[in-house]
Amino acid sequence: MTGPVVVTDIERADAATAAALGVHGVATVHEAMGRTGLVGPGIRPIQDGARIAGTAVTVLCWPGDNLMIHAAVEQCREGDLLVVTTTSPSVDGAFGELFATALQARGVRGLVTTTGVRDVVDLRAMSFPAWSGAVFAQGTVKATPGSVNVPIVVGGVTVHPGDVIVADDDGVLCVPRASAADALTASDARVAKEEADRQAYRSGELSLDRKGLRGLLTDLGVTYVTQREHLSAAGDEPR
């Protein structure tokens, strides 16, 4: 189907899988997925310390127009995360406290948007986390049709409705719905490995040895010398 559309019956990733990915966080899941799915650094959190994940309800709006966000609220359910972009770049404040109130009542976990947000003090006070392209008080109109629950591009990453979105202070990550379970298995394994590393480092072991990096340094031509040897080679003398 072409033209503006609201898709009402999207398939979502498993809620428990999404929640578990959220516990692991963006950096861990990103590494576990082979460093894929990371939204660009232009989408930043408006708060500190939030770490969430949810299933994407996607919104495509016209620049400076938030009509389709109003339409999207009806399509949201508990465990979702609203993901918004525009047909061309816009940082107008398309989202604020009233939207957050409506979404929070439906169990929505947060917002990711390429647009601007406003009412930031209120959003923080009500613990509704948001990641946005800007904080900007400029308002929007409600005049132009767009679409809900269609594939959209956010920070260079294609987000399909029902994908898992993980977001924290490190940024935003999209985990495709079809690979969410595999991503969780890989993330679990990475967390176990990192815990073993952590215990080793606490006992004094060096990462150079644990990760077998000394041989790599040698292969790359890195040598160890004393300060006197280094200064002498440079034609200088120790002071």
Side-chain angles (χ1 to χ4, degrees):
M1 181 177 293
T2 60
V5 63
V6 176
V7 181
T8 62
D9 59 344
I10 64 170
E11 294 186 41
R12 290 167 167 86
D14 175 70
T17 300
L21 288 168
V23 171
H24 287 321
V26 170
T28 294
V29 180
H30 177 237
E31 293 289 345
M33 289 173 55
R35 299 183 180 178
T36 61
L38 189 63
V39 169
I43 309 298
R44 300 301 306 154
I46 66 165
Q47 67 287 308
D48 294 325
R51 174 176 283 179
I52 65 169
T55 44
V57 169
T58 61
V59 188
L60 182 63
C61 294
W62 199 260
D65 192 312
N66 69 358
L67 174 63
M68 299 314 295
I69 300 179
H70 288 272
V73 172
E74 183 181 21
Q75 304 307 316
C76 291
R77 69 186 195 192
E78 186 172 356
D80 283 340
L81 196 151
L82 195 68
V83 186
V84 181
T85 193
T86 49
T87 56
S88 60
S90 173
V91 293
D92 290 342
F95 187 97
E97 176 266 333
L98 288 177
F99 272 140
T101 299
L103 290 173
Q104 206 167 52
R106 301 179 77 86
V108 174
R109 292 178 175 169
L111 168 78
V112 171
T113 180
T114 63
T115 72
V117 298
R118 59 184 187 175
D119 303 331
V120 169
V121 170
D122 300 306
L123 295 178
R124 290 172 180 160
M126 62 192 295
S127 298
F128 187 87
W131 288 256
S132 69
V135 173
F136 193 27
Q138 174 67 45
T140 57
V141 299
K142 302 165 185 60
T144 314
S147 292
V148 176
N149 283 330
V150 298
I152 60 175
V153 177
V154 178
V157 174
T158 299
V159 179
H160 292 83
D163 285 350
V164 178
I165 303 298
V166 185
D168 60 22
D169 286 355
D170 290 335
V172 177
L173 177 75
C174 178
V175 182
R177 177 177 63 85
S179 58
D182 289 340
L184 179 57
T185 298
S187 297
D188 288 342
R190 183 172 182 85
V191 167
K193 176 183 177 300
E194 288 182 346
E195 179 57 26
D197 288 342
R198 188 175 297 109
Q199 294 301 324
Y201 300 153
R202 283 173 178 162
S203 69
E205 187 174 349
L206 294 173
S207 58
L208 278 175
D209 298 317
R210 186 167 180 82
K211 295 183 179 296
L213 298 176
R214 292 190 187 277
L216 176 60
L217 290 175
T218 300
D219 292 343
L220 292 174
V222 179
T223 58
Y224 286 74
V225 297
T226 65
Q227 184 178 36
R228 180 175 293 277
E229 290 169 335
H230 180 62
L231 293 173
S232 177
D236 202 353
E237 291 295 332
R239 296 179 183 177

